[in-house]
Amino acid sequence: MMEHTPQMTAQSGLAFAVAVVDVGKGEKILSLFREEHALLDYVCMAHGTARTEMLDLLGIGETAKAVVFCLAASGQAQRILNRLGKELQMRYPGRGIAFTIPVSGIGRRWHSLLTQADEQEEIRMNKSEQTGFDVVAVVLERGYSNGALDAARKAGARGGTVISARGIAENEVKRFFGIEIQAEKEIVFLVVKSAEKQQVMTELMRAVGTRTRSHGLILSMPVSDAIGLAD
């Protein structure tokens, strides 16, 4: 019997389309995703973390949030972003934010399924253009997200979104760092200007990094396109 060897793509031509909106708008986003025949979509409940004076600017008029995202071919993700901008008016600040994050690799079978309707777009969209924004994500112990946001604001970030999560299979991490890590987590997402990314990440590492009680993991991902963000 021949052993089955899973295969990965070198360049996926895929992207996550992500929208952060008030909870009441989550169903509208999902409906649009499904009209575009996005095969994989997800919803997470979260809360906004911007200061009061920034709520209107960032499009988070209430603290309860829905983070709605789907995995799609890059051309399809771009169409979704365009429709969110036009039909839900998300191209204007104050109505939520939406952005796309390129996927650098995926299993070939998933790749074939997700790109079958966008084969021509796949080739054109493989190389992502820079938008001037990055997503900075912080995975840390529950209860420390306010400290992360304070540090990020100090470095120029204007607000973020917090999702509750649960860590699993962390024994290797515990052995490597020699610290006790709790299972209950919070994930803080911030969309920041690329020019400010390094400063924001440095402040986060000082405030909530591995050597602190929050044991934070800080990483960044490029944004290939975005709408609803203030200058």
Side-chain angles (χ1 to χ4, degrees), residues 87-168:
E87 297 175 26
L88 276 72
Q89 301 297 301
M90 290 182 67
R91 53 187 170 180
Y92 302 110
R95 302 174 186 271
I97 63 173
F99 52 89
T100 57
I101 300 173
V103 174
S104 60
I106 193 171
R108 287 192 180 276
R109 295 189 70 183
W110 276 110
H111 179 266
S112 297
L113 177 64
L114 291 165
T115 59
Q116 59 185 351
D118 280 73
E119 293 179 354
Q120 297 303 316
E121 292 282 356
E122 176 192 349
I123 298 173
R124 184 175 64 84
M125 298 294 290
N126 263 337
K127 294 184 177 180
S128 301
E129 296 180 0
Q130 296 296 313
T131 62
F133 289 96
D134 285 84
V135 172
V136 174
V138 189
V139 183
L140 72 174
E141 306 281 18
R142 180 165 294 182
Y144 290 93
S145 58
N146 285 341
L149 266 294
D150 288 343
R153 289 173 187 139
K154 181 179 177 182
R158 294 178 173 178
T161 302
V162 179
I163 298 175
S164 295
R166 183 174 178 84
I168 59 174

Side-chain angles (χ1 to χ4, degrees), residues 11-214:
Q11 288 185 318
S12 76
L14 300 174
F16 277 107
V18 185
V20 183
V21 295
D22 291 340
V23 169
K25 297 180 181 178
E27 285 299 324
K28 292 182 179 179
I29 306 291
L30 277 175
S31 294
L32 190 148
F33 284 178
R34 287 162 185 170
E35 287 175 13
E36 285 290 334
H37 306 291
L39 297 180
L40 295 174
D41 50 40
Y42 308 88
V43 180
C44 301
M45 295 300 104
H47 64 270
T49 60
R51 294 168 294 179
T52 302
E53 62 269 27
M54 300 302 295
L55 292 179
D56 290 337
L57 184 62
L58 292 175
I60 47 178
E62 59 183 58
T63 57
K65 299 292 154 206
V67 180
V68 191
F69 58 100
C70 68
L71 181 61
S74 297
Q76 186 181 23
Q78 182 62 56
R79 289 197 303 274
I80 287 171
L81 209 66
N82 290 340
R83 288 190 61 186
L84 290 173
K86 293 177 181 178
E87 297 175 26
L88 276 72
Q89 301 297 301
M90 290 182 67
R91 53 187 170 180
Y92 302 110
R95 302 174 186 271
I97 63 173
F99 52 89
T100 57
I101 300 173
V103 174
S104 60
I106 193 171
R108 287 192 180 276
R109 295 189 70 183
W110 276 110
H111 179 266
S112 297
L113 177 64
L114 291 165
T115 59
Q116 59 185 351
D118 280 73
E119 293 179 354
Q120 297 303 316
E121 292 282 356
E122 176 192 349
I123 298 173
R124 184 175 64 84
M125 298 294 290
N126 263 337
K127 294 184 177 180
S128 301
E129 296 180 0
Q130 296 296 313
T131 62
F133 289 96
D134 285 84
V135 172
V136 174
V138 189
V139 183
L140 72 174
E141 306 281 18
R142 180 165 294 182
Y144 290 93
S145 58
N146 285 341
L149 266 294
D150 288 343
R153 289 173 187 139
K154 181 179 177 182
R158 294 178 173 178
T161 302
V162 179
I163 298 175
S164 295
R166 183 174 178 84
I168 59 174
E170 292 180 323
N171 289 334
E172 288 298 323
V173 178
K174 291 178 184 179
R175 282 198 292 268
F176 184 83
F177 288 110
I179 56 178
E180 186 67 22
I181 299 177
Q182 302 301 317
E184 300 304 314
K185 302 293 181 188
E186 289 178 326
I187 306 175
V188 180
F189 290 99
L190 309 108
V191 181
V192 304
K193 294 180 179 179
S194 297
E196 299 171 348
K197 178 187 70 174
Q198 189 61 51
Q199 185 175 352
V200 169
M201 294 183 72
T202 298
E203 289 294 335
L204 286 168
M205 285 187 282
R206 288 173 179 164
V208 295
T210 307
R211 296 180 182 275
T212 70
R213 291 184 177 181
S214 44

Side-chain angles (χ1 to χ4, degrees), residues 1-8 107-110:
M1 179 184 292
M2 292 183 62
E3 182 180 357
H4 173 65
T5 303
Q7 293 184 319
M8 296 286 290
R108 287 192 180 276
R109 295 189 70 183
W110 276 110

